[in-house]
Amino acid sequence: MRIAIDGPAAAGKTTLARSLAEKLGYLFVPTGAMYRAAALAKERGLPPEKVHIEVQEGGRILLEGEDVTELLENPALDELSSQVAVDGRVRRHLVALQRQIARGRDVVMEGRDIGTVVLPDAELKIFLWAEPEERARRRLAERGGDFQEVLAAIRRRDERDSTRKDSPLRPAPDAVILDTTGLSREQVLALALKLVEERRAKLAR
Ligand code: DC
């Protein structure tokens, strides 16, 4: 089964996708990290629309063969990756890679356009949502910083990610919208596992 998890910045997509993939024994594919790697490539003077990016078990990311997973968490790449993701050439390059990775495999793939563009026929699509203030609080708990600044950065990314021409962030018509405001990680995971079970039962019929 292919599971698509989309949603805005800091909604908990990576946390949910990783734990869901672990529980189910599926491959975890963090596409946000792939856009971050493209942004890092650009910073290094490499062409982001051509650069070699690989996703390994556990969602580790290789850029031109170098494991850059930890470097991708750098907050400077939040903004840069959102900017690089507006470029249609970069999107085409990464979408092709993402489809190739998912071909014939069980995957949990998270991002912004997985259910709409990358895997429109995914068996389960979840759109993870939380109010911007809640997302800012979660980011702050992880990384620290100033609440108003973090909130403004989240709003700026939401705006850019959802108004860009190419593959804007929006729920697929057949996505299940999961509002996680006020829910713990464990509660969100339990809800997602229930959706997987329901989907499996339907597919088996
Ligand atoms: O999920 P993230 O915050 O690590 O993603 C970084 C940026 O990459 C995000 O602001 C928008 C872009 N992105 C995208 O356009 N499409 C995806 N499938 C995943 C991420």
Side-chain angles (χ1 to χ4, degrees):
M1 163 147 67
R2 286 154 309 162
I3 303 176
I5 300 181
D6 291 299
K13 298 184 298 291
T14 304
T15 306
L16 172 63
R18 186 191 294 280
S19 38
L20 203 53
E22 266 169 24
K23 279 256 180 214
L24 300 169
Y26 288 11
L27 181 68
F28 162 56
V29 187
T31 67
M34 296 172 78
Y35 284 90
R36 286 167 183 272
L40 180 63
K42 194 173 178 187
E43 266 207 321
R44 291 178 171 182
L46 300 167
E49 70 283 1
K50 278 195 213 145
V51 83
H52 191 69
I53 294 172
E54 253 178 85
V55 180
Q56 297 195 320
E57 288 299 320
R60 297 202 73 83
I61 306 285
L62 304 191
L63 173 63
E64 297 289 336
E66 177 194 342
D67 190 328
V68 292
T69 313
E70 270 81 38
L71 295 179
L72 302 180
E73 287 165 21
N74 183 344
L77 290 174
D78 290 358
E79 186 68 19
L80 281 175
S81 58
S82 172
Q83 287 169 10
V84 113
V86 172
D87 185 335
R89 294 167 311 167
V90 174
R91 301 206 71 82
R92 280 192 291 281
H93 175 52
L94 294 187
V95 168
L97 267 174
Q98 289 153 9
R99 288 186 178 147
Q100 201 183 322
I101 292 169
R103 193 163 300 143
R105 302 183 72 156
D106 291 320
V107 292
V108 184
M109 192 176 276
E110 60 92 358
R112 303 289 190 291
D113 60 342
I114 311 307
T116 51
V117 175
V118 181
L119 305 174
D121 51 356
E123 285 78 12
L124 176 63
K125 300 179 185 178
I126 298 176
F127 192 86
L128 214 57
W129 169 254
E131 294 301 334
E133 290 77 7
E134 165 110 0
R135 290 187 271 132
R137 274 193 294 276
R138 290 180 190 166
R139 255 298 123 90
L140 224 62
E142 268 171 32
R143 290 183 182 168
D146 173 75
F147 181 76
Q148 289 305 333
E149 265 175 36
V150 173
L151 180 60
I154 283 180
R155 287 197 197 279
R156 199 163 54 237
R157 274 218 287 158
D158 279 4
E159 171 74 14
R160 187 182 301 114
D161 294 349
S162 32
T163 57
R164 67 173 176 236
K165 263 212 206 95
D166 196 341
S167 320
L169 167 70
R170 61 181 168 78
D174 52 345
V176 180
I177 298 182
L178 213 69
D179 185 350
T180 70
T181 309
L183 298 182
S184 68
R185 289 171 179 207
E186 293 72 27
Q187 287 171 319
V188 177
L189 176 62
L191 284 173
L193 281 169
K194 204 163 147 240
L195 291 173
V196 173
E197 281 319 311
E198 284 169 9
R199 197 69 202 129
R200 275 183 171 159
K202 235 188 213 162
L203 289 171
R205 257 188 246 141

